[in-house]
Amino acid sequence: MSSAVKISQWLAQLRATDRATWLARSAIALAGVAALVLPGLQSWDQMDAVSVVGSVLLVGCVVLPDSLAALMFLLVICLGWLLRAPNELSWALVVTGIALLTVHLASAFAGQIPSYATVHRQALRKWLLPASIALLLGPVVAITAGLIRGAGVPGSLLVTVLALATATAAIWFASGQSIGESDS
């Protein structure tokens, strides 16, 4: 296959791209940029490798959302934060967490469908409730865990694990799944 045919095929697929695909990939791009830029604006010194590797992985997330690029992007940003950031809860940490969660959810949605597939509103609505719950519960659990950890309450790890398990169960059941349900 010649390069002209490949480019023509790629452009035809790009023209056939549905609005849901554009929305999901735009969410990946915008949230990914926020997750890359926000740690770089902090007073602590972020490693330059995080920005360089993260930028390359973010392009991979947008172009191929069903690849390992999204997982590697999340790991690079998290490890960059863990290696250099101060050990305190801040608004930048919460916003970066929300951005990473958005990258994760949008990549999961975009990775399920080909870029040229048509997605109906019902499929988007099915993702809206679990995504909204995850985006709202994520910061609440993080802030609560940070406050409990700072208070030195005995059993705070158990409280944090229970809060995360409850949030996971709420998202699971909001997605319309049940424990005995199978997709086969």
Side-chain angles (χ1 to χ4, degrees):
M1 184 182 302
S2 70
S3 60
V5 172
K6 287 181 183 180
I7 291 172
S8 295
Q9 183 182 16
W10 181 75
L11 288 173
Q13 287 179 347
L14 192 59
R15 280 191 300 270
T17 301
D18 190 47
R19 185 179 337 167
T21 303
W22 282 109
L23 283 171
R25 292 180 186 218
S26 297
I28 294 169
L30 291 174
V33 167
L36 270 174
V37 170
L38 195 57
L41 295 176
Q42 301 307 308
S43 60
W44 46 272
D45 183 32
Q46 177 176 315
M47 294 183 294
D48 293 336
V50 171
S51 300
V52 173
V53 174
S55 299
V56 172
L57 289 171
L58 182 58
V59 171
C61 293
V62 174
V63 175
L64 298 169
D66 60 340
S67 68
L68 281 176
L71 174 65
M72 297 307 296
F73 177 78
L74 297 174
L75 288 175
V76 164
I77 298 298
C78 289
L79 286 175
W81 192 284
L82 289 173
L83 290 175
R84 295 281 179 108
N87 189 14
E88 61 187 31
L89 186 64
S90 67
W91 67 270
L93 176 64
V94 173
V95 173
T96 302
I98 291 171
L100 291 176
L101 182 60
T102 304
V103 169
H104 169 68
L105 292 171
S107 295
F109 178 75
Q112 291 182 358
I113 54 175
S115 62
Y116 51 85
T118 302
V119 179
H120 298 286
R121 288 182 184 235
Q122 184 178 5
L124 289 174
R125 281 191 210 128
K126 186 173 181 168
W127 271 83
L128 185 61
L129 181 62
S132 299
I133 290 172
L135 287 173
L136 292 174
L137 280 182
V140 170
V141 169
I143 290 170
T144 305
L147 293 174
I148 289 173
R149 191 177 124 225
V153 176
S156 61
L157 178 62
L158 180 63
V159 171
T160 304
V161 170
L162 286 175
L164 289 172
T166 304
T168 303
I171 294 166
W172 176 266
F173 288 116
S175 69
Q177 301 291 321
S178 66
I179 294 175
E181 183 179 326
S182 69
D183 291 336
S184 56

